[in-house]
Amino acid sequence: VHGHAPISDDYILCVNSFKPTKNHITLLRAYEEIRKEIPIKLVLIGYGKTENIRKKIHEMNLDDEVLILQGLTDEEINLFYRFAKLFVNTSLFEGFGK
């Protein structure tokens, strides 16, 4: 939907590959603490294998709170950025140019 929020709930956004160095597990732990105080969703957008992240989400009983999306267009991703309450990047390593 052009120009409209991609989901109706308030959300925190993380856009990254799903590699272990992107530190999604730590993000999930922090999000678990935030959810105790603030009713907000977590949206993870990226590419790559998500099995370990999905397993951790399930173990933490966050299945209804965390949304994993892959294969979005740049336009769709831009809408998620536009309407996010907060953007986070928990990467442990960035290899720019490597």
Side-chain angles (χ1 to χ4, degrees):
V1 181
H2 295 287
H4 297 285
I7 63 173
S8 61
D9 297 303
D10 288 342
Y11 59 93
I12 297 168
L13 177 64
C14 179
V15 179
N16 232 322
S17 70
F18 293 114
K19 295 178 182 178
T21 56
K22 302 306 177 185
N23 208 17
H24 287 94
I25 302 303
T26 299
L27 173 58
L28 291 171
R29 289 183 187 128
Y31 172 71
E32 184 179 39
E33 293 301 312
I34 290 167
R35 278 290 297 148
K36 292 176 183 176
E37 303 291 328
I38 302 168
I40 194 164
K41 302 282 186 182
L42 176 61
V43 176
L44 306 176
I45 298 176
Y47 61 90
K49 295 181 181 179
T50 61
E51 291 85 11
N52 289 339
I53 296 167
R54 289 180 191 278
K55 180 180 174 187
K56 190 66 174 175
I57 289 167
H58 185 71
E59 288 172 2
M60 298 171 82
N61 296 313
L62 295 173
D63 299 283
D64 294 333
E65 308 303 322
V66 181
L67 180 62
I68 295 177
L69 300 172
Q70 296 179 288
L72 300 181
T73 66
D74 287 345
E75 183 179 350
E76 291 168 326
I77 294 170
N78 287 339
L79 281 176
F80 275 95
Y81 276 117
R82 181 176 175 191
F83 292 100
K85 293 296 179 185
L86 176 70
F87 171 76
V88 296
N89 183 354
T90 56
S91 180
L92 295 172
F93 174 78
E94 290 297 333
F96 298 108
K98 291 187 177 191

